[in-house]
Amino acid sequence: MGTIRPMKIIHAVHEMQDYSEALRKAGRRIAFVPTMGYFHEGHLDLMREGRKRSDCLVVSIYVNPTQFGASEDLEKYPRNFDRDSQLAEEVGVDVIFFPSNAEMYPVNYQTYVTVEEVTKNLCGLSRPGHFRGVATVCAKLFNMVKPHAAIFGKKDFQQLVTIKRMVADLNMDLEIVGMPTTREKDGLAMSSRNVYLSPEERESALCLSRSLLMARERYDQGERDAGRILQSIKAYIESVPSTRIDYLKICSTTTMQDVQSLDQESVLALAVFVGSTRLIDNHVFGEELNIR
């Protein structure tokens, strides 16, 4: 399936803003998928959803330095713009917004967005400053692209909660849409970082999705004690070769704080190093889990 009109690539912020403003004045609806590139089927699913919801689909490709810590993988983060462009065009993207660091963070840049409480746990604990970078770049991109709706994956669940909180708190006039995690056939959540895994590590990485299945089974059997569910999963993951748990928690989907009992809507969130690669996954109890 190809796009009806040629896909446009925009590099300059002012050009992106002018393009979107003209669409809005013409009464056209804009959907937006922000990405760091190196597309996989999960990204493409978000784009397909955006295509359904809009007259114009914009995808950004920008590896945002402000959300990476000093010891993280900014420099080696996988990039392939030519491949990404081809995949985007095949699913009907109208515009790729591909700004430089100088466009996004010009000389003397000094303004950041901090979302407070929902970022304090999970990735907020293990990656200090990460969500400040995420919130800042998303706020900037929303102002540049001017979308009516922005599409995010639920794999980065805390990120989705953070962006929804920011949009509500700052009265941003757009809809944030969360889409289910796209998985490989064996259950592994799709991620651009999966390319780092050796064949042996790739097998060990299945412990994340299998942990979600174990937790759901306990929940379906009536278990509501978070500690007991976590204890069984922890023992399992620690038995898998090449793994190291970063965090393993059950939290309120509203506050992102730990819960003791699953008597409110709760999410099991985990981050596990498999070899040197950090992977995340999650499951909201009571929702469908698309793992075989």
Side-chain angles (χ1 to χ4, degrees):
M1 181 182 71
T3 184
I4 296 171
R5 48 195 176 276
M7 185 176 68
K8 188 176 181 66
I9 297 172
I10 296 177
H11 298 276
V13 170
H14 71 86
E15 185 183 349
M16 185 71 252
Q17 289 173 322
D18 290 348
Y19 185 91
S20 293
E21 188 61 26
L23 285 170
R24 279 180 162 267
K25 285 180 177 177
R28 311 301 290 277
R29 182 171 173 83
I30 303 168
F32 176 45
V33 180
T35 83
M36 294 203 300
Y38 210 74
F39 296 156
H40 52 66
E41 199 64 28
H43 294 111
L44 302 183
D45 280 347
L46 301 184
M47 295 175 205
R48 293 181 184 109
E49 181 65 21
R51 180 73 279 164
K52 294 176 191 173
R53 291 171 173 263
S54 67
D55 301 303
C56 178
L57 173 59
V58 180
V59 172
S60 63
I61 298 177
Y62 181 62
V63 182
N64 175 39
T66 66
Q67 68 191 67
F68 286 79
S71 62
E72 294 182 339
D73 59 343
L74 173 62
E75 294 306 318
K76 70 170 186 173
Y77 193 85
R79 297 162 169 87
N80 189 333
F81 183 79
D82 290 342
R83 174 180 169 275
D84 287 347
S85 298
Q86 182 177 343
L87 290 171
E89 191 158 22
E90 286 172 1
V91 297
V93 171
D94 295 296
V95 178
I96 291 180
F97 180 43
F98 187 46
S100 65
N101 286 335
E103 281 286 306
M104 295 297 289
Y105 298 104
V107 175
N108 293 324
Y109 187 88
Q110 54 195 283
T111 302
Y112 296 88
V113 179
T114 301
V115 182
E116 296 283 350
E117 297 301 321
V118 297
T119 67
K120 288 184 176 178
N121 203 1
L122 306 175
C123 287
L125 279 177
S126 59
R127 302 181 70 187
H130 170 69
F131 285 114
R132 185 182 83 147
V134 168
T136 299
V137 78
C138 284
K140 288 170 67 65
L141 288 167
F142 294 160
N143 285 332
M144 295 166 184
V145 176
K146 305 183 183 184
H148 296 84
I151 323 292
F152 289 82
K154 290 184 178 179
K155 181 175 78 76
D156 297 291
F157 191 83
Q158 189 177 18
Q159 171 181 276
L160 177 62
V161 170
T162 299
I163 297 305
K164 284 185 172 180
R165 185 74 267 156
M166 177 186 75
V167 165
D169 288 352
L170 297 183
N171 307 103
M172 294 181 176
D173 187 19
L174 78 158
E175 177 188 9
I176 301 298
V177 179
M179 294 294 294
T181 300
T182 302
R183 299 181 178 277
E184 304 285 358
K185 288 182 179 179
D186 58 7
L188 181 67
M190 289 192 177
S191 168
S192 298
R193 290 186 169 96
N194 290 349
V195 70
Y196 298 157
L197 300 169
S198 70
E200 295 78 15
E201 290 168 348
R202 174 66 177 72
E203 180 63 29
S204 291
L206 294 176
C207 71
L208 281 84
S209 57
R210 288 171 180 167
S211 294
L212 303 185
L213 285 172
M214 290 172 59
R216 184 188 67 175
E217 185 176 351
R218 295 288 298 272
Y219 181 84
D220 289 346
Q221 292 169 350
E223 180 63 78
R224 294 296 183 270
D225 184 282
R228 285 197 286 265
I229 293 174
L230 292 172
Q231 189 174 14
S232 62
I233 296 171
K234 182 173 184 286
Y236 162 60
I237 295 175
E238 289 178 342
S239 74
V240 175
S242 303
T243 62
R244 175 170 61 87
I245 295 172
D246 181 2
Y247 63 72
L248 175 60
K249 297 191 175 195
I250 296 176
C251 303
S252 160
T253 58
T254 303
T255 67
M256 299 309 296
Q257 293 302 306
D258 297 3
V259 298
Q260 304 303 314
S261 177
L262 279 67
D263 54 6
Q264 57 182 294
E265 187 177 79
S266 305
V267 59
L268 167 63
L270 61 162
V272 178
F273 284 95
V274 182
S276 60
T277 304
R278 183 179 181 275
L279 302 175
I280 62 172
D281 210 339
N282 68 79
H283 172 55
V284 175
F285 290 98
E287 289 189 357
E288 184 179 348
L289 183 56
N290 59 333
I291 304 173
R292 296 171 186 169

